[in-house]
Amino acid sequence: MRQPGWGAVVSVGLLWSLVAWFGGPWWWLPVPLAVVAFAVPLTVVDLRERRLPDALTLRAYPIFAAALAFAAIEGGAELLWGALLGGLVFGGLHAVTHRVIPHALGAGDVKLAGSLGLVLGATGWAAMVAVVVIAAVVSAVLGVFARIRGSPTWEDGVPHGPGLLIATSLVTLFPSQ
């Protein structure tokens, strides 16, 4: 895996500034910061190499769990229960989809969905529905651009990770919307 370059580092910094600027409750702030920190490099790698590496997807679990545990200090224990259930449901649905239609989602998408489900479950069930819709739209747009460019690396489909990551970043930035 080629490492994301300085552009990714600068992008994370700029996005963290936006997250801080948009505000939200102080106790929720670590959650969108953590999501953005993983979203940028994972998106870069998935677009470039069509894979979501374990080195990032698996590390997201403890980082997201820590951010959610911090948020639960003020947000309450129900936030953690929602996170646990969300991780099981969102990750489970992606695992079933991968099992039934293996070419629709890769194993990396399934691993990513579990960690993102933690965050989405803490945000609320409407967030999960919103992420599914936004991710589908982002994937469709990527597919159109791939067709226009005639991208030979995407002949077998469009990466799903960027859509999931962009959508989850937006939903965690505006959790009450």
Side-chain angles (χ1 to χ4, degrees), residues 24-51:
W26 63 269
W27 50 270
W28 182 253
L29 190 59
V31 177
L33 291 175
V35 170
V36 166
F38 281 91
V40 171
L42 280 167
T43 297
V44 168
V45 171
D46 202 14
L47 289 173
R48 190 186 316 153
E49 300 180 17
R50 297 291 313 277
R51 60 188 290 275

Side-chain angles (χ1 to χ4, degrees), residues 59-141:
R59 286 189 178 125
Y61 283 91
I63 301 296
F64 292 173
L68 290 166
F70 180 82
I73 293 170
E74 185 74 22
E78 62 273 357
L79 188 142
L80 292 179
W81 286 113
L84 182 60
L85 189 56
L88 291 171
V89 169
F90 202 64
L93 289 174
H94 280 77
V96 167
T97 302
H98 175 66
R99 181 82 170 148
V100 174
I101 314 167
H103 65 277
L105 294 173
D109 295 317
V110 174
K111 293 175 216 168
L112 176 64
S115 66
L116 295 180
L118 293 172
V119 173
L120 296 173
T123 305
W125 293 105
M128 251 183 244
V129 174
V131 165
V132 168
V133 171
I134 295 168
V137 169
V138 170
S139 294
V141 169

